[in-house]
Amino acid sequence: MEMALSRPGLISLAAGFTDSDSLPVEDARQILNDLLRSRKTGRVALQYGSTQGEAILRNATAQRLAYLDGASDTDAAWSADRMIITNGSQQLLYLVSEVLCDPGDIVLLEDPTYFVYLGIVEALGLRARGIRIENDGLDPQRLDEALASLKRAGRLPRVKMLYAVTYFQNPTGITASLEKKRAILSLLRKYERSAGHPIYLVEDAAYRELRFSGEDVKSALAVPGAQDRVIYAGTYSKPFATGTRVGFGLLPEPVFTAVLRSKGNHDFGSSNLLQHLLARALLSGRYDRHVARLRKRYAAKAAVMRRAMEQHFPDSVEWAEPRGGLYFWARTPARLKTGTDSKLFQTALANEVLYVPGVLCYANDPERAKPDREMRISFGSASESDIRTGIARLGASLQELCG
Amino acid sequence: MEMALSRPGLISLAAGFTDSDSLPVEDARQILNDLLRSRKTGRVALQYGSTQGEAILRNATAQRLAYLDGASDTDAAWSADRMIITNGSQQLLYLVSEVLCDPGDIVLLEDPTYFVYLGIVEALGLRARGIRIENDGLDPQRLDEALASLKRAGRLPRVKMLYAVTYFQNPTGITASLEKKRAILSLLRKYERSAGHPIYLVEDAAYRELRFSGEDVKSALAVPGAQDRVIYAGTYSKPFATGTRVGFGLLPEPVFTAVLRSKGNHDFGSSNLLQHLLARALLSGRYDRHVARLRKRYAAKAAVMRRAMEQHFPDSVEWAEPRGGLYFWARTPARLKTGTDSKLFQTALANEVLYVPGVLCYANDPERAKPDREMRISFGSASESDIRTGIARLGASLQELCG
């Protein structure tokens, strides 16, 4: 893939990069200019901070989340005191997984899931159990079956967490309903006694703010009685600027304390300068205005991609229009594989277009074969013109092999 | 210590923070303003980069290091291709230790050493073997004895690396000579056959640029034939701005590839914006001018501390004047302990002054008792007036207990 990306004529609909044209260059310049014009605020921003992260950013973020979840900002679950700022939400996911799991433990996750998280699973020597995802989130019946099967096998003590990308999921674009979150948390709680310890839901909300139609869904923190089992991971990378790499997590005890200690060993705190940039973006209203513009932009790009897919994809290819995020997810007819060794992938490459093969988004799970009939197609970084041309090329490749 | 730090009247000579007054606030403002005034350069800075780090910063850093080491900038050991940008050098130290060592392995290190590194040792489940440090670096005879003893015990296979802070060491202020580095590398090589694998020297050069008298010493990369065994860790936090948290490492294969993969799992790359800030500081000459100012500033503060110690410390307390870095290291007379439970520490606290007890800088090593007669006293963040007052208070505490 890396080799392919260096080809000048290639259109990549694979990268998870965000839209470059709409990056908040002028917002960032003005905020940093103001921040550093005063020696007083400038010195704070350029000095070490704490391992946990700057209070100004944690407070603004916690208040925002409480507002989104319809909670009172005095509710302890949304308290800035239980928030840790990280280098993108990726670092939070790594730290949480490292702290909760021992090598050989089993992580429950969506089938398919965010493939970069699978790298963490592998790096930490963990095993994965994939649970089928439906149009409104993870299938509770399948989760129940998986937990029951693990219980029968005496392997429940190896289960510490379930990882789910709950908003405009990477790769499928699916958003989990609050009912599904409630059902998941209830099931995890049900099996805790047999596990002998808490089983946490790690809710990755990376794409939550990139919603361009429909209503926001409350986070799992809003499920009554579940706050001590939910780890909420968010980020400003996608909605503001990927070049800042500022993520955050809300964590219950004792996970909070363990992750904070681990963050101390990893790098003892993220850049103060970036944290002050984000805090000022939030407090000045620039962040909100930027996100509003960004949503319109992605809505337009998604519409361009939808129209191009309607025009160029064979009817036998299934796909749904996402309501947010950066991705379309498409399924080819039976027997038409999509993996890097497949005829389709090679034909697409010969036609100068790249997608992410769905098979890469499935964990290694001996319980099932990996589906190999799907594609993640991103409208995030490609221009509208490249989206049109790229989809036409991919459509031609599909027509060639379906026809 | 944390509780103590919140007392308003307390003067902390403990923190490893840098001087706030000399932070490059105006430099950073102008650089960021220029960077973000152009949409073209602004977009690059605000978009994702690579896991390895931006080429512009790696090239500038590699050239600078080659120059400092008197090497040709075409020499492979100083190639930007083998450099990885990290969140402070702390993250590099963590990643290298994680990649090289398995739980239960033994890290060789200086006695005393950088206490935050001891947190990494503990977090990764490693054991430490402390080697006595002399006025020009680690004692090769003691290192030889330790390695021979480990060999006899059949434990050499558990030794993968030696960690040393080679410039104005934290906490002692000692700089290792090139001869010492050569001797260390030669000893590590000598025992490699019995170990059954390479033993790396991890050279932490965090304070290298904070030299205010004497000549720069070449890094261990300049020892002929040793480049495939040296991991060089540097940072822009201390010499430019701690709020940026930009560190870097030069690594030989196969460590480079393993650390890059691990960095990918931890956070898949550091903030591009900060990397472009540092690259422009280097390329514009602002960094050099800032470091020159900073050296003068620390030289002045160190001189203030020296004069205050000459005036207030009893003759029975031993200390030497550092030629760089942020710390004085002082040794009390026999039987006068300095640890947090000691009379001295408590008296100093009652007198509203805080230092780092030397005992915290020694690894847990069952082979020897931890010395408890030393203090790390920092002139980094305290003002000149606070240095004078703080040393007077500490001197009074010492006089009280020595007298």
Side-chain angles (χ1 to χ4, degrees), chain A residues 18 20-21 25 29 33 36 39 43 46-48 87 90-91 94 98 242-243 245 265-267 271, chain B residues 18 20-21 25 29 33 36 39 46-48 87 90-91 94 98 242-243 245 265-267 271:
Chain A
T18 52
S20 266
D21 286 353
V25 176
R29 190 185 71 78
N33 213 21
L36 298 168
R39 287 194 62 76
R43 283 174 194 173
L46 291 181
Q47 183 58 277
Y48 279 135
N87 305 318
Q90 172 79 5
Q91 189 186 37
Y94 187 94
E98 181 196 46
T242 46
R245 309 286 293 116
N265 287 319
H266 279 235
D267 61 17
S271 159
Chain B
T18 51
S20 266
D21 286 353
V25 175
R29 191 185 71 78
N33 214 19
L36 298 168
R39 288 194 61 77
L46 290 181
Q47 184 58 278
Y48 279 136
N87 306 317
Q90 173 79 4
Q91 189 185 37
Y94 188 93
E98 181 195 46
T242 46
R245 309 287 292 116
N265 288 318
H266 279 234
D267 62 17
S271 159

Side-chain angles (χ1 to χ4, degrees), chain B residues 92-293:
Chain B
L92 189 86
L93 299 178
Y94 188 93
L95 292 171
V96 164
S97 305
E98 181 195 46
V99 155
L100 286 180
C101 302
D102 298 307
D105 278 356
I106 299 155
V107 176
L108 305 168
L109 38 71
E110 292 153 328
D111 227 3
T113 189
Y114 172 44
F115 58 81
V116 177
Y117 184 72
L118 297 176
I120 295 179
V121 168
E122 198 189 345
L124 294 173
L126 310 179
R127 281 173 288 188
R129 173 64 65 96
I131 312 289
R132 195 180 70 174
I133 186 169
E134 300 180 299
N135 285 337
D136 60 346
L138 211 138
D139 181 342
Q141 195 181 325
R142 295 292 182 99
L143 176 61
D144 198 4
E145 287 164 14
L147 286 164
S149 145
L150 287 163
K151 183 181 172 184
R152 282 193 302 277
R155 295 170 75 200
L156 220 40
R158 304 311 300 263
V159 178
K160 316 282 174 61
M161 59 176 274
L162 185 152
Y163 169 71
V165 186
T166 48
Y167 296 87
F168 317 112
Q169 199 228 19
N170 181 354
T172 62
I174 288 169
T175 293
S177 66
L178 190 58
E179 292 66 42
K180 280 286 173 77
K181 295 179 193 178
R182 189 179 291 121
I184 292 166
L185 283 162
S186 160
L187 280 167
L188 297 182
R189 184 79 76 167
K190 172 180 155 190
Y191 284 92
E192 279 195 0
R193 188 177 295 188
S194 307
H197 50 242
I199 305 177
Y200 294 93
L201 169 61
V202 180
E203 171 165 45
D204 180 347
Y207 299 91
R208 183 174 190 179
E209 303 254 31
L210 302 187
R211 184 187 78 254
F212 42 77
S213 73
E215 294 296 311
D216 185 49
V217 177
K218 289 182 184 180
S219 82
L221 291 166
V223 173
Q227 298 169 347
D228 57 343
R229 292 296 185 269
V230 172
I231 294 161
Y232 181 93
T235 183
Y236 291 114
S237 288
K238 305 276 183 193
F240 193 70
T242 46
T244 62
R245 309 287 292 116
V246 175
F248 54 86
L250 276 170
L251 307 99
E253 285 295 0
V255 190
F256 172 86
T257 297
V259 166
L260 188 60
R261 190 184 306 122
S262 188
K263 167 88 176 157
N265 288 318
H266 279 234
D267 62 17
F268 63 76
S270 294
S271 159
N272 248 6
L273 179 60
L274 298 177
Q275 293 184 57
H276 282 272
L277 164 60
L278 264 309
R280 284 181 173 233
L282 288 164
L283 296 171
S284 63
R286 286 178 185 272
Y287 175 82
D288 276 321
R289 290 193 294 274
H290 175 71
V291 168
R293 284 193 300 268

Side-chain angles (χ1 to χ4, degrees), chain A residues 227-343:
Chain A
Q227 297 168 350
D228 58 342
R229 292 297 185 267
V230 172
I231 293 160
Y232 181 93
T235 183
Y236 290 115
S237 289
K238 306 276 185 194
F240 192 70
T242 46
T244 61
R245 309 286 293 116
V246 175
F248 54 86
L250 277 170
L251 307 100
E253 285 295 358
V255 189
F256 172 85
T257 297
V259 166
L260 188 61
R261 190 183 307 120
S262 188
K263 167 88 176 156
N265 287 319
H266 279 235
D267 61 17
F268 63 75
S270 294
S271 159
N272 249 5
L273 179 60
L274 298 178
Q275 293 183 58
H276 283 272
L277 164 60
L278 264 309
R280 286 182 171 230
L282 288 164
L283 296 171
S284 64
R286 287 178 184 272
Y287 176 82
D288 276 321
R289 290 193 294 275
H290 175 71
V291 168
R293 283 194 301 268
L294 200 62
R295 286 173 172 173
K296 280 189 195 154
R297 172 108 185 143
Y298 283 132
K301 290 175 85 172
V304 167
M305 185 169 272
R306 173 181 56 75
R307 285 193 296 270
M309 286 168 76
E310 285 168 350
Q311 188 184 344
H312 297 290
F313 275 23
D315 290 342
S316 55
V317 176
E318 295 165 27
W319 51 271
E321 191 177 359
R323 297 182 149 205
L326 303 174
Y327 313 109
F328 278 71
W329 181 246
R331 188 173 289 108
T332 55
R335 283 191 299 272
L336 183 55
K337 292 190 174 176
T338 57
T340 47
D341 292 337
S342 69
K343 261 190 196 159

Side-chain angles (χ1 to χ4, degrees), chain A residues 79-153:
Chain A
S79 165
D81 293 343
R82 61 206 295 273
M83 182 174 287
I84 298 175
I85 305 294
T86 51
N87 305 318
S89 52
Q90 172 79 5
Q91 189 186 37
L92 189 87
L93 299 178
Y94 187 94
L95 292 171
V96 164
S97 305
E98 181 196 46
V99 155
L100 287 180
C101 303
D102 298 308
D105 278 356
I106 299 156
V107 176
L108 303 168
L109 38 71
E110 293 153 327
D111 227 3
T113 188
Y114 172 42
F115 59 80
V116 177
Y117 184 73
L118 297 175
I120 295 179
V121 169
E122 196 189 348
L124 294 172
L126 310 179
R127 281 173 287 188
R129 172 65 66 98
I131 312 290
R132 194 180 69 174
I133 186 169
E134 301 181 299
N135 285 336
D136 61 346
L138 210 138
D139 181 344
Q141 195 182 323
R142 295 293 182 97
L143 176 60
D144 198 5
E145 287 165 12
L147 285 164
S149 145
L150 287 162
K151 184 181 172 185
R152 282 193 301 276

Side-chain angles (χ1 to χ4, degrees), chain B residues 288-352:
Chain B
D288 276 321
R289 290 193 294 274
H290 175 71
V291 168
R293 284 193 300 268
L294 200 62
R295 287 173 172 173
K296 280 189 194 154
R297 173 107 185 144
Y298 284 132
K301 291 175 85 171
V304 167
M305 185 168 271
R306 173 180 55 77
R307 285 193 296 270
M309 287 168 75
E310 284 168 349
Q311 188 183 345
H312 299 289
F313 276 22
D315 289 344
S316 55
V317 175
E318 296 167 24
W319 51 270
E321 191 178 359
R323 297 183 150 205
L326 303 174
Y327 313 109
F328 278 71
W329 182 245
R331 188 174 289 111
T332 55
R335 284 191 298 273
L336 182 56
K337 292 190 175 177
T338 58
T340 48
D341 294 336
S342 68
K343 261 189 196 159
L344 178 63
F345 190 84
Q346 295 302 325
T347 306
L349 212 52
N351 288 337
E352 301 278 22

Side-chain angles (χ1 to χ4, degrees), chain A residues 65 89 164-167 203-209 219 232-235:
Chain A
L65 290 178
S89 52
V165 186
T166 49
Y167 296 87
E203 172 165 44
D204 180 347
Y207 299 91
R208 183 175 189 178
E209 304 255 32
S219 82
Y232 181 93
T235 183

